[in-house]
Amino acid sequence: MNAIPQTPKPQALELAARAKAFVPRLRDGQAESDRLARVSPALAEELEEAGFLSMTTPRAYGGHQVSLSEWMEVNCELGRGDGGVAWAVALVNTGNWTVAAAFPKAVSDEVFSRPNARVAGVFSPGKGSSVRLVDGGIIIEKGFWPFNSGVHLAHWNLLGVLLPDEKGDFVRPSLALMPIEDCKILNDWNTIGLRGSGSSSVTVEDVFVPWERIVDTFACIGGDYKGGFQDQALYRCAFNPLDAIILKFATVGLGQAMLEEVLSQIPSRKILLTHHDKQAEAAVTHLQLGEASGRIEAAQLMVAKCCAEVDAWAEKGEFMPFAERAKTRLYTGIAGQLLWEGVDLLASAGGGSFARADNRLSRIWQDLRVANMHAMANSASNYELYGRILCGLEPSMAV
């Protein structure tokens, strides 16, 4: 990967500074977001006002239209405050980007005619879904989509469906866009981590979706976008690398927050049942901090490198080659493993107080563990994918 450095735009610098200043607000509001298992309505308004929910909305509709690298910087800062809320912000911006990049301009005009419109989504096909072809589109007779992150923030929802072929076999993965009112939110997000993401399941029953609000998922993966903004680099970014790498934004921020929190506690801590009255003077502490900080920073650099590479191909107006897309998936897996190992190592230095439910270190640890369980972020799956490619075999998942 030979990434071309991006020069930050003043607008993006302002957003990043705003995000850094927003961290204390997120930490103060985390208990409420955890209790609700979603972004609280008051916090949602503040996120919107700050511009964090329209980073990928085209400027033509009043959005900020930042690059992927700039998006990362802002979202990582938010992750330092609350991993769950930062996760929701990343996923909503992904939905906004998908509509602008992949759908016809008439559709994006419709979606973004509402000021500050927001799009959530689950791109994998729904469980037990039934789709019927009708004149002008499809009817989703029924379906269940788990892990609809940010759905409580959304005005529109993108749901994966399988379209039938002429034989009636459900073979073509597609994305169907519908108003959020067409979905029933089940409010079943009850987890040990990322609670603020509000990743509830949704169901859909007897909903008509016109053809213009349906795009072929494989076409998107291959760079065949229908959007009206293809003259602008952001909306030429490679679909799958973008979808994978954005899952690391909140987790990089979580890793940074864990290290900051440990460093703030060390001066007042001792290591019980040892002769170390000051944890900061113990050699074992130095070893733990050195290894953990190195892993967290290496992960951050790896994610930043991936973002810069995706941006560079988009700037050139060329679709990112297969080998580079696959390497981005590999680096996504490595970054996830490094972050977890770094955070888990720091947790082991936390002593018995780490087990307290109100211990911030424990909260960060749980958020990162849950984040790494996402199928596209799973390290083992990404390693297998790249290993198969190195062996000359077909990839085990879409790249």
Side-chain angles (χ1 to χ4, degrees), residues 30 39 79 82-89 193-198 250 254 367:
Q30 186 164 25
V39 177
D82 184 329
V85 172
W87 185 277
V89 169
L194 293 187
R195 291 185 60 79
S197 68
L254 284 166
D367 281 349

Side-chain angles (χ1 to χ4, degrees), residues 21-332:
F22 205 75
V23 168
R25 169 67 180 96
L26 289 172
R27 292 179 179 174
D28 289 343
Q30 186 164 25
E32 177 72 357
S33 296
D34 282 359
R35 183 183 68 80
L36 295 173
R38 56 174 290 191
V39 177
S40 70
L43 182 56
E45 289 184 14
E46 294 177 53
L47 292 168
E48 178 179 286
E49 185 178 346
F52 302 140
L53 296 172
S54 56
M55 288 189 287
T56 60
T57 301
R59 292 192 195 98
Y61 305 124
H64 294 284
Q65 197 175 319
V66 300
S67 69
L68 184 59
S69 296
E70 293 160 344
W71 176 5
M72 174 194 169
E73 185 175 1
V74 174
N75 232 132
C76 287
E77 286 291 344
L78 299 179
R80 289 178 52 242
D82 184 329
V85 172
W87 185 277
V89 169
L91 271 292
V92 165
N93 275 287
T94 303
N96 294 351
W97 174 86
T98 303
V99 168
F103 284 80
K105 190 170 184 298
V107 174
S108 57
D109 284 346
E110 177 186 12
V111 169
F112 295 111
S113 63
R114 182 197 188 283
N116 300 307
R118 302 188 288 268
V119 184
V122 180
F123 290 1
S124 56
K127 296 182 178 180
S129 59
S130 175
V131 176
R132 175 163 50 92
L133 301 182
V134 295
D135 288 343
I138 64 171
I139 289 180
I140 303 177
E141 296 176 321
K142 63 177 181 177
F144 170 83
W145 288 262
F147 311 125
N148 201 167
S149 299
V151 67
H152 294 280
L153 297 170
H155 307 107
W156 292 79
N157 213 8
L158 272 168
L159 297 178
V161 295
L162 289 174
L163 298 187
D165 61 11
E166 62 276 3
K167 298 179 182 178
D169 297 325
F170 292 86
V171 296
R172 200 67 186 175
S174 301
L175 296 176
L177 177 68
M178 64 200 71
I180 198 64
E181 292 78 15
D182 288 344
C183 305
K184 180 180 179 181
I185 303 174
L186 301 185
N187 294 311
D188 58 353
W189 183 241
N190 185 19
T191 59
I192 63 168
L194 293 187
R195 291 185 60 79
S197 68
S199 302
S200 296
S201 304
V202 299
T203 59
V204 171
E205 186 174 351
D206 294 327
V207 168
F208 172 73
V209 184
W211 286 123
E212 60 267 24
R213 286 205 254 117
I214 300 170
V215 296
D216 187 297
T217 306
F218 285 158
C220 293
I221 291 171
D224 182 12
Y225 301 152
K226 298 181 182 297
F229 299 93
Q230 291 306 295
D231 60 332
Q232 298 169 49
L234 175 62
Y235 307 106
R236 295 195 298 262
C237 287
F239 185 85
N240 242 357
L242 182 146
D243 286 347
I245 206 65
I246 62 97
L247 298 175
K248 293 302 163 198
F249 292 173
T251 61
V252 168
L254 284 166
Q256 293 168 337
M258 187 79 165
L259 182 59
E260 292 165 6
E261 189 73 15
V262 168
L263 290 173
S264 72
Q265 293 182 10
I266 279 179
S268 60
R269 289 180 59 89
K270 60 175 64 176
I271 303 179
L272 296 179
L273 304 181
T274 75
H275 65 277
H276 297 299
D277 290 329
K278 294 184 178 180
Q279 187 178 13
E281 295 179 355
V284 66
T285 301
H286 308 153
L287 291 170
Q288 289 170 327
L289 288 175
E291 182 178 350
S293 63
R295 290 179 182 278
I296 291 166
E297 184 170 349
Q300 184 271 329
L301 292 171
M302 194 166 284
V303 174
K305 183 179 180 66
C306 289
C307 290
E309 187 73 7
V310 173
D311 279 336
W313 284 103
E315 287 283 351
K316 289 190 292 186
E318 299 178 28
F319 191 64
M320 197 175 188
F322 174 82
E324 299 303 317
R325 302 199 309 269
K327 192 165 289 186
T328 297
R329 293 295 298 274
L330 171 67
Y331 287 178
T332 299

